[in-house]
Amino acid sequence: MISGDRHSVDTRLAFLQGGAVAVLVTLAIGFWFLQIAQGSRFRELADNNHQRTLTLRAARGLLFDRDGQILVENRYSFDISLVRERTGDLTRSIELLSAISGVDEPLLWQTIEEHNDEPEYRPIVMIREATTEQVAAVLARRIELPGIVVEEVPTRHYRTGTLAAHLFGYVGEITETQISEAQFRGTPSGAIVGQTGIEQAYNRELMGTDGTRRVVVNSIGRELSTIEEVNPVEGRRLQLTIDYDLQVATEEAFRAHGFNGAAVILEPKTGEILAMASMPAYDPNDFSLGIDQATWQRLNDDPEKPLHNRPLQGRYAPGSIFKLVVAVAALEEGIVESDFSVQCNGAKRFYDRFYHCHLRGGHGRLMMEEALERSCNVYFYTLGSMLDIDVLNTWARRLGLGDLTGIDLPHELEGIVPSRQWKMKTTGEDWYPGETISVSIGQGAVSVTPLSQAVLIATIANGGVRPTPYVIKAIDDGEGWKPTQPRPSVVVELQPETIETLHRGLWRVVNARGTGGRARIDGFNVAGKTGTAQVVSLAGREQLEETSDLDFRDHGWFTFFAPSEGQPEIAGVVLAEHSEHGYLAAPIARHVMQTYLAKKAGQPLPDLPQPSPVSTGTTTETVQPAPPDHLTVPVQTQGEIN
């Protein structure tokens, strides 16, 4: 009996000893794993309990005009951000943040929902450019707001407001779609990137490199000291080809005359853009901090379309400007010589229809120079009847219409220059010869962008050298300004007779009896061409009730270069929307050229021009009394022609 009890006790002791040994072995293995095998990892986790790594956002590169004047810069502001992994009671934190900041709680939750797919350690900007009061309120309640941090960040600032807004573009937080695009590959979520204009086209150069700062914090997140700091590297500085004074002159002239529209002013030899205006515009500063829904809705609902980039994306009938293409095609194809004459009696019959000139009594007998000067429709109807539409298409593209210009800006649209293939593909119908009659004066199926019109006139000014327009003159990567590579030009072979005929005719448009007299400048030989493009046909207009709605008024073009002899220095195009007559766009171009000449001579810049009176049936022309050059009969439709 005694021996049995002893055996039982020994067994129990053995189990206890084995269990103790097992526990000790387990503890030893655990300690080895924690301290040796995974020691560095857990040491890092321990450090992270009192260390934080903060991102120092890099400022975007500055933009300068060609003379070194700062146009776009940065200013520092405070963002209030949320780091979800540091927040205990998220609901309580959002309620308190809303109460002390004055921001509606639903807006804060909406911001969080937009970033739900992102890691919880990544800060979410809840309030951009917080006010001093908001920052002070958050800092005062820091203990109650774990995970709410205040960050000092550079914010894009457009010093000139709406000036050149479409050219500069604007910035905004990168979208999920953009993250997958090659242009933004490697850019982290939450980064501020260019969305349009130069900001988008040169985003990589402008972005810079973010820095970091490692700090020690106490149990409530207060920073105690800095362990390490890597300064951010500011983005590259860009010098634009834009001349600030010419840009101001262009936009102020539009406002003085009360027109919306577009203008592109360039150096014809190099293709450098000196000014590019789209009117009306918007303020890109509204986007720098994240545009609010009300402002975004207002801009999109505005019937004047301030977000629309007219120089690159607006497509308009070229009106009589297209007569330059018709003249080149007729001369270069050997259809006519420059002394080819046409009798204009006010109308002429083609394909069993009468097509009328803008001068009802007619211009009499004209040769090509005179036809350009007086913008005689009958003369160019006649040339159009002698030319094939595919030949016109070929020459239009050679001169810069109907294709992309190659400008270093995003979202450019091609114009439309019809051809047989284009019509078959678009409508499934054959091209009718009568349609070429309308195209020959820039109506019908042809539509172009203002930028391509500027390239067209620069090509003619250069005697057949078609420039590629561009807006970046030099880049500073920290080692001084380095000029960008010259943009390639395309040589369009033109006969000397063609160049001389066009140059003489365009000089006469401005300086003789032509329609561009309002662009005349004493001592500076300006060559130009007006054009008036119908928005609706007169037949269609007659079916409309009487209205003062500007949407039904014709657009006015004026394209120009100067000086007309020797090496041209400046060229461009002005489109005055719904101005009714092309000659009313000429004073805008004149003011820009006068500003250019004043700067060149070191003289005071000229005053704004006086608004041009709009014709009401009796002539109001005081500088140049010739009538406008737009079509005064209904534009023929395909059904009517057929």
Side-chain angles (χ1 to χ4, degrees):
M1 184 72 177
I2 293 174
S3 62
D5 290 340
R6 183 181 297 278
H7 179 72
S8 176
V9 170
D10 291 341
T11 302
R12 291 175 182 174
L13 288 173
F15 274 116
L16 288 173
Q17 290 173 348
V21 171
V23 169
L24 290 173
V25 170
T26 301
L27 288 173
I29 294 173
F31 291 149
W32 177 86
F33 180 79
L34 292 173
Q35 297 181 15
I36 307 301
Q38 294 291 319
S40 60
R41 175 176 177 270
F42 286 106
R43 191 159 39 249
E44 179 181 353
L45 291 175
D47 289 340
N48 285 340
N49 285 330
H50 64 271
Q51 292 182 14
R52 296 286 184 268
T53 299
L54 307 176
T55 298
L56 303 177
R57 187 180 299 168
R60 291 178 72 82
L62 307 185
L63 300 183
F64 299 79
D65 87 331
R66 66 189 297 113
D67 297 324
Q69 182 167 340
I70 296 177
L71 302 177
V72 182
E73 59 185 359
N74 303 290
R75 62 181 181 181
Y76 281 84
S77 60
F78 291 97
D79 286 352
I80 296 176
S81 301
L82 167 70
V83 183
R84 286 167 292 174
E85 72 170 3
R86 303 182 198 169
T87 305
D89 188 342
L90 181 59
T91 300
R92 170 60 184 157
S93 294
I94 296 304
E95 289 175 353
L96 182 56
L97 179 60
S98 174
I100 66 176
S101 68
V103 178
D104 291 340
E105 189 175 329
L107 292 178
L108 298 176
W109 283 112
Q110 180 181 342
T111 302
I112 293 174
E113 290 173 5
E114 291 172 355
H115 297 269
N116 268 341
D117 296 335
E118 299 176 12
E120 292 195 348
Y121 63 79
R122 182 171 294 156
I124 299 173
V125 178
M126 307 298 290
I127 305 173
R128 292 193 184 276
E129 196 168 351
T131 64
T132 303
E133 292 77 11
Q134 289 172 325
V135 171
V138 168
L139 294 177
R141 309 288 287 272
R142 175 171 288 185
I143 296 177
E144 302 171 73
L145 291 170
I148 302 295
V149 296
V150 176
E151 302 175 296
E152 186 179 25
V153 295
T155 304
R156 206 60 162 159
H157 178 57
Y158 301 86
R159 300 180 67 185
T160 56
T162 61
L163 187 80
H166 297 85
L167 175 68
F168 298 147
Y170 58 83
V171 297
E173 188 172 324
I174 191 169
T175 66
E176 290 300 321
T177 302
Q178 288 174 322
I179 288 176
S180 61
E181 295 176 0
Q183 180 183 4
F184 298 101
R185 188 169 294 127
T187 305
S189 176
I192 301 299
V193 300
Q195 301 291 341
T196 60
I198 291 171
E199 294 280 20
Q200 179 184 345
Y202 288 88
N203 183 69
R204 286 194 177 277
E205 289 82 358
L206 291 168
M207 273 196 70
T209 304
D210 289 343
T212 57
R213 185 160 63 97
R214 291 178 62 206
V215 299
V216 177
V217 297
N218 62 15
S219 59
I220 62 172
R222 187 185 302 277
E223 294 182 16
L224 301 178
S225 63
T226 298
I227 299 173
E228 180 185 27
E229 184 168 332
V230 178
N231 292 326
V233 178
E234 184 176 317
R236 297 179 181 181
R237 304 190 304 165
L238 303 184
Q239 183 183 30
L240 311 186
T241 61
I242 298 300
D243 185 309
Y244 170 78
D245 294 308
L246 294 189
Q247 185 73 34
V248 170
T250 303
E251 297 195 19
E252 285 187 344
F254 267 102
R255 283 189 285 268
H257 289 277
F259 297 135
N260 291 332
V264 179
I265 314 298
L266 49 70
E267 278 191 355
K269 183 179 180 181
T270 63
E272 293 184 11
I273 300 292
L274 301 176
M276 180 181 289
S278 182
M279 306 293 288
Y282 59 91
D283 189 345
N285 289 303
D286 290 338
F287 293 84
S288 298
L289 308 173
I291 190 167
D292 61 84
Q293 185 61 35
T295 303
W296 177 250
Q297 196 66 44
R298 174 178 57 79
L299 290 172
N300 279 278
D301 292 343
D302 191 329
E304 293 188 337
K305 300 181 180 179
L307 293 175
H308 186 49
N309 190 338
R310 287 162 165 81
L312 272 69
Q313 299 174 316
R315 290 191 284 206
Y316 308 83
S320 292
I321 309 294
F322 198 77
K323 293 173 182 176
L324 301 177
V325 175
V326 177
V328 170
L331 292 172
E332 291 298 314
E333 294 293 325
I335 304 297
V336 299
E337 300 292 335
S338 61
D339 59 357
F340 174 74
S341 64
V342 171
Q343 177 67 33
C344 172
N345 295 320
K348 191 171 182 179
R349 188 180 185 87
F350 299 94
Y351 308 107
D352 296 325
R353 283 192 174 275
F354 275 101
Y355 291 78
H356 293 260
C357 194
H358 62 80
L359 188 62
R360 293 190 180 277
H363 293 99
R365 182 161 293 278
L366 301 171
M367 291 189 293
M368 186 173 289
E369 284 182 28
E370 299 166 307
L372 286 169
E373 173 192 356
R374 307 295 297 279
S375 199
C376 176
N377 289 339
V378 167
Y379 188 95
F380 287 94
Y381 290 149
T382 303
L383 293 186
S385 70
M386 302 165 70
L387 288 163
D388 185 84
I389 188 62
D390 288 343
V391 172
L392 283 178
N393 174 278
T394 297
W395 280 103
R397 292 182 182 279
R398 288 177 182 173
L399 295 170
L401 303 183
D403 289 325
L404 298 178
T405 66
I407 192 171
D408 51 338
L409 290 173
H411 311 309
E412 181 189 5
L413 295 181
E414 293 180 343
I416 298 173
V417 179
S419 64
R420 283 187 171 78
Q421 182 181 13
W422 171 84
K423 188 182 178 187
M424 180 59 68
K425 182 179 179 180
T426 303
T427 68
E429 298 179 1
D430 292 327
W431 182 267
Y432 300 109
E435 293 176 278
T436 310
I437 304 299
S438 293
V439 171
S440 67
I441 61 163
Q443 299 290 165
V446 60
S447 63
V448 298
T449 65
L451 179 61
S452 65
Q453 290 268 60
V455 171
L456 164 69
I457 197 65
T459 305
I460 291 172
N462 291 334
V465 179
R466 190 180 78 219
T468 300
Y470 64 100
V471 297
I472 301 299
K473 189 175 183 69
I475 299 177
D476 181 5
D477 58 3
E479 298 181 356
W481 292 109
K482 297 179 180 178
T484 55
Q485 291 295 322
R487 297 276 166 164
S489 298
V490 177
V491 176
V492 182
E493 296 291 345
L494 298 178
Q495 301 174 64
E497 179 190 18
T498 300
I499 299 168
E500 292 171 7
T501 300
L502 264 62
H503 281 212
R504 287 196 300 265
L506 296 178
W507 180 88
R508 295 173 67 148
V509 168
V510 176
N511 300 282
R513 296 183 298 166
T515 53
R518 295 187 180 198
R520 187 181 304 132
I521 299 174
D522 291 338
F524 193 56
N525 282 329
V526 178
K529 183 73 187 76
T530 60
T532 305
Q534 288 181 337
V535 176
V536 294
S537 69
L538 295 186
R541 187 177 299 177
E542 290 172 357
Q543 297 174 9
L544 299 170
E545 296 181 2
E546 290 188 8
T547 177
S548 61
D549 193 333
L550 288 176
D551 290 343
F552 302 125
R553 295 184 184 178
D554 298 337
H555 299 316
W557 291 97
F558 182 70
T559 188
F560 66 93
F561 66 90
S564 60
E565 73 290 337
Q567 181 64 51
E569 301 173 19
I570 187 170
V573 66
V574 174
L575 168 72
E577 288 184 350
H578 308 299
S579 63
E580 294 193 286
H581 306 301
Y583 62 75
L584 293 179
I588 297 176
R590 183 174 188 265
H591 181 61
V592 175
M593 287 186 283
Q594 287 176 321
T595 303
Y596 168 81
L597 290 172
K599 284 197 68 174
K600 181 180 177 182
Q603 298 175 349
L605 301 184
D607 294 330
L608 280 172
Q610 293 299 312
S612 299
V614 177
S615 173
T616 57
T618 59
T619 180
T620 56
E621 176 67 82
T622 57
V623 177
Q624 202 307 104
D629 59 346
H630 67 293
L631 188 63
T632 57
V633 295
V635 175
Q636 308 298 318
T637 65
Q638 293 164 6
E640 290 172 329
I641 293 172
N642 193 27

